[in-house]
Amino acid sequence: MMSALKFAKALPASTFARSTAQRAYSAAATGEALKKTVLHDYHVENGGKMVPFAGWSMPVQYSNLGVGASHNWTRNNASVFDVSHMLATRITGKDRVKFYESITVADIEALPVGSSTLSVFTNENGGIIDDTIICKHQDSLYVVSNAGCADKDLAHIRAHLKAFQNKGGDVDMKIIDDHQLVAIQGPKAAAVIEELVGKSLQDFPFMDGRFLTIKGIECHVARSGYTGEDGFEISVPNSDAVEFTKMLIADPRVELAGLGARDSLRLEAGLCLYGNDLDETTTPIEA
C-alpha cells in the first residue's frame, strides 16, 4: 500500500482539498462569496495557495513547502494550521451536561473538569451527523465541530435545544465568533509553547483544555489536534490572531501548513474524516 507521504508527493495539492470533503466546494459551485478567516491576508502574504473549502477560502499549501515536505516537517518539527473555519461553541446553563449527553454519545458527567472527549452527534437512527470534541470546564462546555457540517450541526443542536428549553431545561449556546482557532502540531510544539508561556507543560495532558495567558494574550488552549502528533489548538481573540501566528512562526522550528498536509497527516495516522469515512449511514460502533 502506498504510504501517505508517497501519496502526498504523487498527487497535486488540489487533490487533497478535494479528498478532504467533496461537498465543501458547494459555495464555489453556486457562486456564493467565500468567507475568510482573520488570517486570510496573512496566508496570501506568505505564499498560501488559497482554495474554497466548506464555504471558506483556505490555504491548501504554501510556496516554500510542498505537501510532502510540509507533512515531513510536521512529523519532525512543528507546523501551524489555521482551523478558524471550524465551528466553535460555548454551552452554558446548569443542565448543559444533561443536554449534550442527549445529542451525543459522550459520557460528559464522568469527564473530569478540564478534560475533553471525542464524540459524535447522532440522528434518530444512530447515524453520525458529525464528529466533535467536547471540553468540560467548571462553568461551561467548549465544543468544536467540523466546518463542512456547521449548518446542519447548528440546525440539529438548535432544534433539540429549543425542545429541551421548552421542557424547562437550563441551557444556552453561543457561537464563538470573536476568536480564531490556530493549531500547532508536531513533536516540537510543546517546547515552542512552553517558551512562550514561560513554564513547563508536563502537567498538561493530551485531550485537556485550559485558559492560559501567552505573551499577554488570553487564550483557550486545548492539547489536541488531528495529525497524529502532539500539539495544541489555541483559541485567540480576533484582534490578536495575526500577531499570535507571527509569534509562532518566528520560531525556526515552526512552519505554516495547509489543508494538503492536514489531510495526508490524518490519513497516515488513521484518523476518520467526516464526509469520507463517516456519514449519516455510519453508526458510532461502525466508526
Side-chain angles (χ1 to χ4, degrees), residues 48-59:
K49 179 181 178 181
M50 310 305 290
V51 299
F53 176 75
W56 294 79
S57 176
M58 299 297 294

Side-chain angles (χ1 to χ4, degrees), residues 120 128 272 277-278 282-287:
V120 291
I128 297 173
C272 291
D277 313 305
L278 308 172
T282 312
T283 69
I285 299 299
E286 292 168 331

Side-chain angles (χ1 to χ4, degrees), residues 105-274:
V105 298
D107 183 3
I108 305 171
E109 186 64 41
L111 193 67
V113 172
S115 296
S116 303
T117 183
L118 178 64
S119 190
V120 291
F121 298 111
T122 53
N123 60 26
E124 64 274 11
N125 298 315
I128 297 173
I129 294 171
D130 195 11
D131 57 282
T132 184
I133 290 184
I134 305 164
C135 184
K136 183 179 181 181
H137 289 299
Q138 192 69 48
D139 59 353
S140 62
L141 301 177
Y142 174 77
V143 182
V144 178
S145 52
N146 288 304
C149 298
D151 290 343
K152 71 170 183 173
D153 287 356
L154 288 173
H156 178 76
I157 296 167
R158 284 168 173 160
H160 286 271
L161 181 67
K162 184 176 181 180
F164 191 88
Q165 291 170 331
N166 288 342
K167 293 179 181 178
D170 179 14
V171 63
D172 202 3
M173 175 183 71
K174 180 184 183 300
I175 297 173
I176 303 173
D177 55 8
D178 57 353
H179 282 60
Q180 300 292 289
L181 195 57
V182 177
I184 179 168
Q185 300 283 292
K188 297 181 182 178
V192 172
I193 298 300
E194 282 178 337
E195 285 191 13
L196 294 175
V197 298
K199 63 179 181 180
S200 170
L201 297 177
Q202 288 187 353
D203 66 340
F204 194 159
F206 199 72
M207 291 301 284
D208 265 25
R210 61 184 64 169
F211 295 94
L212 290 176
T213 301
I214 304 178
K215 292 295 184 180
I217 302 172
E218 298 295 329
C219 304
H220 180 274
V221 181
R223 195 161 195 171
S224 58
Y226 223 59
T227 61
E229 292 291 342
D230 186 19
F232 303 85
E233 293 182 335
I234 306 169
S235 181
V236 186
N238 289 347
S239 58
D240 297 311
V242 174
E243 288 306 313
F244 180 81
T245 303
K246 288 180 179 178
M247 187 164 54
L248 295 177
I249 297 300
D251 191 303
R253 295 168 289 188
V254 182
E255 290 282 357
L256 290 167
L259 294 171
R262 187 190 70 168
D263 204 35
S264 65
L265 288 159
R266 72 92 196 162
L267 180 65
E268 185 177 68
L271 300 171
C272 291
L273 181 70
Y274 196 88

Side-chain angles (χ1 to χ4, degrees), residues 11-78:
L11 295 176
S14 59
T15 303
F16 284 97
R18 287 196 297 274
S19 68
T20 301
Q22 297 283 355
R23 54 180 167 61
Y25 286 79
S26 58
T30 60
E32 295 176 16
L34 294 173
K35 291 176 282 188
K36 298 178 180 179
T37 72
V38 170
L39 292 168
H40 180 274
D41 291 349
Y42 180 75
H43 296 312
V44 175
E45 291 166 6
N46 284 274
K49 179 181 178 181
M50 310 305 290
V51 299
F53 176 75
W56 294 79
S57 176
M58 299 297 294
V60 69
Q61 68 178 82
Y62 293 84
S63 57
N64 66 322
L65 286 177
V67 174
S70 185
H71 178 117
N72 266 343
W73 185 271
T74 310
R75 287 280 182 250
N76 293 288
N77 299 283

Side-chain angles (χ1 to χ4, degrees), residues 84-106:
S84 307
H85 59 313
M86 302 284 278
L87 174 63
T89 58
R90 181 172 291 108
I91 313 300
T92 56
K94 65 180 180 64
D95 296 321
R96 62 189 178 276
V97 170
K98 181 180 178 181
F99 171 67
Y100 246 71
E101 286 188 341
S102 74
I103 61 172
T104 67
V105 298

